[in-house]
Amino acid sequence: MHLPAAGILVSPRPLAPVCENAGLRNSKKESDLNLAQARVRDLDAQLNAKEADLATALNENRTLENELRELKDQVLSLNLSLEDTKKHLHSEMLRRVDLENHMKTLQEEMTFQKRLHEDELKETKRVHESKIAEVESGRQREFESKLSDALQGLRKQHEEQIQGYKEEMERTFSAKVENAQLTAARNSEFANAAREELMETQKRVDTLISQVNQYQSQNVALESRIKELQNLLDYDRDLHRRRMAEKEEEMAQAQKQAQAQLEEYEHLLDVKLALDLEINAYRKMLEGEEQRLKLSPSVSSHSTATQAASQGRRYLHGKKRKIKETKKKEHSAALKTIQHVSATGNISIEEIDADGKFVRLKNHSDEDQSLHGWVLRRRIGSVADVNYKFPSRFTLQAGQEVTIWGAAAGVSPGPSDLVWRAQKSWGTGDNIGVTLITDNGEELAERKIVLVPREEESEQDDDYEEITGSEAEFASQTKRRRKKKCCLVS
């Protein structure tokens, strides 16, 4: 006679939701870790770009300093050439003064020679007059005519010599004056050119100094930006480290829970094996007693045991099925989404992500719309309102859409994407509202999302089966044996 083993059928399925939840949390944590690493790589790339810009600015600064030193050397050489030109001009002026003095000396000498010749002429005339007085009156006219001719010849010769001296002196003086004027003009032109070049050099030096100051200010701003990015990177690293520690703690707790459930499952399996052994022992004792008494197998006991076992399995199966359907109903309690949309212009709010990742706008007109100074205001229940301001000079093209992502969305912005770096997400909740406000304060468009629970229909549960007296007795015996096994194990 074979008595089927009756025991507690323990299914390992309760471990599956915990493992699935742990897997979901691990995947979510891994995605957050990947996002954080991507952000760290982006920040490293930005830092490298800023360092390259800084190195370029430093190279340009060094080049400008070298040019400034060269310009200073040129200015020094020009100043030296200007001083040499001034010295040459001074020497030419001195030569001019010397020539004028020499000319005056020659004029005075010429005047003295003229007076001397006039005195000689007077003396000669007096001598000739005395001789003429002594000469015979017949030849007086001849002598006077000859004398007058000789005097005229001497006068002409003397005048020609004086005129030649005068012309030579005038030519020499004119040549010297022209040379001095040409030299002075050249020197003045050189001086003006040097002065203009000096002024241009000074202007260029001032421009270079202003550029150097500007580059220095940009360098300071870049250094401060680098410090801010480094601080932000350190903060992100600390936050990532803390989140990783929290995730590791959660994973450790999940592993502890899974280990506890596994130990409970092993304990129940041990109880089941002990009950199976006990049932087999009772069955062998019953078979031995029947063989000793030479009795036929008890149909009633066999049927009762079989019925109890089947009813116990049916009871456990019905209870397990009821637990499964209860969990299924708890998970299927969904929410109904109600959206309110309004728009008074060409720009409308097309979509609000339920997870708070993005908000999408669209321009329905045929003309481009500038969004300079426009604001998107987010309102979630009793939480304080938060405003997103569009970048300056941003224009939404005709018929195009723009998507404003949260900082934690982890997307690479494209031509039609913007990132709200001040907020990680647009937020989630049962009542979310986003309003588009122009630069004049006019509310142009609005979209609201309201989540309300669905109305549940009354359902009658027919999965429970009626427990008979034998089933209750079997269940109570099973509980007593389980308690006994637990006491033996402890």
Side-chain angles (χ1 to χ4, degrees):
M1 180 176 61
H2 178 69
L3 182 63
I8 299 175
L9 299 176
V10 179
S11 175
R13 293 185 180 179
L15 292 175
V18 176
C19 295
E20 290 178 356
N21 293 330
L24 290 175
R25 285 197 296 271
N26 291 333
S27 62
K28 186 176 181 181
K29 302 299 181 181
E30 289 176 356
S31 64
D32 294 339
L33 177 60
N34 293 328
L35 291 176
Q37 290 178 353
R39 181 170 178 78
V40 169
R41 287 195 295 271
D42 293 337
L43 291 174
D44 290 334
Q46 293 179 4
L47 180 60
N48 293 329
K50 297 298 181 182
E51 289 177 352
D53 295 338
L54 178 60
T56 304
L58 291 175
N59 292 328
E60 292 180 355
N61 189 9
R62 286 194 292 272
T63 304
L64 292 175
E65 288 178 353
N66 294 328
E67 291 181 359
L68 180 61
R69 284 195 294 271
E70 292 176 359
L71 290 174
K72 285 183 178 178
D73 295 335
Q74 292 179 5
V75 169
L76 183 60
S77 62
L78 289 173
N79 288 328
L80 293 175
S81 64
L82 180 61
E83 290 179 358
D84 294 335
T85 305
K86 287 182 179 179
K87 290 179 181 179
H88 186 68
L89 179 63
H90 183 66
S91 63
E92 291 294 329
M93 293 295 292
L94 292 176
R95 289 179 62 187
R96 179 181 177 182
V97 171
D98 292 335
L99 289 173
E100 288 178 355
N101 293 330
H102 184 64
M103 184 181 68
K104 288 181 180 180
T105 303
L106 291 175
Q107 287 179 353
E108 289 176 356
E109 186 178 0
M110 184 178 65
T111 304
F112 176 74
Q113 291 290 335
K114 185 176 180 180
R115 288 178 182 177
L116 182 62
H117 286 299
E118 287 177 356
D119 293 335
E120 288 179 356
L121 284 173
K122 288 179 180 179
E123 183 67 24
T124 305
K125 186 177 181 181
R126 188 181 61 77
V127 172
H128 282 290
E129 285 177 354
S130 64
K131 287 181 178 181
I132 289 171
E134 295 176 354
V135 177
E136 294 178 355
S137 58
R139 300 184 65 178
Q140 184 176 1
R141 293 181 180 176
E142 184 178 357
F143 286 138
E144 288 179 355
S145 63
K146 290 182 179 178
L147 181 60
S148 61
D149 293 336
L151 289 174
Q152 287 178 359
L154 290 173
R155 187 181 291 110
K156 288 181 180 178
Q157 185 179 0
H158 182 66
E159 288 178 355
E160 288 176 358
Q161 288 179 357
I162 292 172
Q163 186 66 29
Y165 290 150
K166 186 176 180 180
E167 289 178 357
E168 185 178 359
M169 289 295 296
E170 287 179 353
R171 286 194 298 272
T172 304
F173 179 74
S174 297
K176 295 291 184 182
V177 169
E178 284 183 8
N179 291 330
Q181 288 178 353
L182 291 173
T183 304
R186 285 196 299 270
N187 292 331
S188 63
E189 289 177 357
F190 289 155
N192 292 328
R195 191 178 297 106
E196 291 177 357
E197 188 174 358
L198 182 62
M199 292 175 65
E200 292 178 356
T201 305
Q202 187 66 31
K203 290 180 180 179
R204 190 174 179 184
V205 168
D206 295 336
T207 304
L208 292 175
I209 290 172
S210 63
Q211 290 180 358
V212 168
N213 294 328
Q214 183 178 2
Y215 287 143
Q216 288 177 353
S217 62
Q218 290 179 359
N219 189 12
V220 172
L222 289 173
E223 288 178 354
S224 62
R225 180 60 178 168
I226 289 170
K227 289 181 181 178
E228 291 178 359
L229 292 174
Q230 187 66 33
N231 294 329
L232 183 60
L233 181 61
D234 294 337
Y235 173 75
D236 290 339
R237 285 176 179 172
D238 294 337
L239 182 61
H240 175 65
R241 194 178 296 109
R242 290 195 298 271
R243 288 181 177 176
M244 287 299 296
E246 292 176 357
K247 290 174 183 178
E248 289 177 356
E249 290 179 358
E250 291 179 359
M251 291 174 65
Q253 291 179 359
Q255 289 178 357
K256 288 180 180 178
Q257 291 178 1
Q259 186 65 26
Q261 292 183 358
L262 184 61
E263 290 176 356
E264 185 180 358
Y265 173 72
E266 291 177 353
H267 175 68
L268 294 175
L269 186 60
D270 293 337
V271 171
K272 175 183 178 298
L273 293 175
L275 290 174
D276 290 338
L277 293 174
E278 188 175 356
I279 290 171
N280 289 328
Y282 285 135
R283 184 177 60 198
K284 289 180 180 180
M285 290 172 62
L286 182 60
E287 290 177 354
E289 191 67 21
E290 288 178 352
Q291 289 177 1
R292 187 178 64 84
L293 297 175
K294 295 181 180 180
L295 297 176
S296 60
S298 177
V299 179
S300 62
S301 62
H302 176 70
S303 63
T304 302
T306 305
Q307 184 179 5
S310 63
Q311 288 178 354
R313 286 195 298 271
R314 186 177 60 182
Y315 167 75
L316 292 174
H317 178 70
K319 186 175 182 181
K320 184 169 65 176
R321 186 174 58 186
K322 178 61 181 177
I323 292 171
K324 288 182 179 179
E325 293 189 359
T326 304
K327 290 182 179 179
K328 190 182 296 183
K329 288 181 180 178
E330 289 177 356
H331 287 291
S332 63
L335 297 175
K336 182 169 63 176
T337 303
I338 300 176
Q339 297 193 13
H340 301 277
V341 183
S342 63
T344 58
N346 297 324
I347 309 298
S348 66
I349 302 174
E350 291 294 313
E351 183 180 358
I352 300 175
D353 186 49
D355 295 332
K357 292 183 178 180
F358 63 86
V359 171
R360 183 173 289 113
L361 306 181
K362 184 175 182 180
N363 184 2
H364 296 278
S365 65
D366 297 333
E367 298 179 356
D368 298 344
Q369 177 64 52
S370 175
L371 301 184
H372 173 66
W374 289 34
V375 174
L376 277 176
R377 178 175 296 168
R378 186 206 68 184
R379 185 181 298 105
I380 301 177
S382 60
V383 181
D385 296 346
V386 181
N387 295 331
Y388 168 76
K389 188 174 182 181
F390 285 91
S392 59
R393 299 181 182 178
F394 179 78
T395 302
L396 183 56
Q397 303 294 328
Q400 298 297 322
E401 295 180 349
V402 61
T403 305
I404 301 95
W405 296 87
V411 297
S412 299
S416 62
D417 295 328
L418 296 174
V419 179
W420 191 2
R421 302 191 183 279
Q423 288 289 118
K424 294 184 178 179
S425 68
W426 286 89
T428 57
D430 296 338
N431 189 351
I432 304 174
V434 178
T435 306
L436 178 63
I437 303 175
T438 64
D439 52 353
N440 298 324
E442 180 184 359
E443 294 184 357
L444 197 64
E446 184 179 12
R447 179 179 283 269
K448 292 182 180 179
I449 296 178
V450 181
L451 300 179
V452 297
R454 297 181 182 273
E455 296 180 357
E456 297 182 356
E457 298 179 356
S458 60
E459 297 179 357
Q460 185 176 359
D461 192 1
D462 298 331
D463 293 333
Y464 286 109
E465 297 181 2
E466 184 180 358
I467 300 175
T468 60
S470 59
E471 292 175 346
E473 183 179 0
F474 177 76
S476 62
Q477 290 177 0
T478 305
K479 288 181 181 179
R480 285 196 301 271
R481 289 174 181 174
R482 186 180 300 172
K483 290 180 180 179
K484 182 179 180 182
K485 180 61 178 177
C486 290
C487 293
L488 291 173
V489 172
S490 61

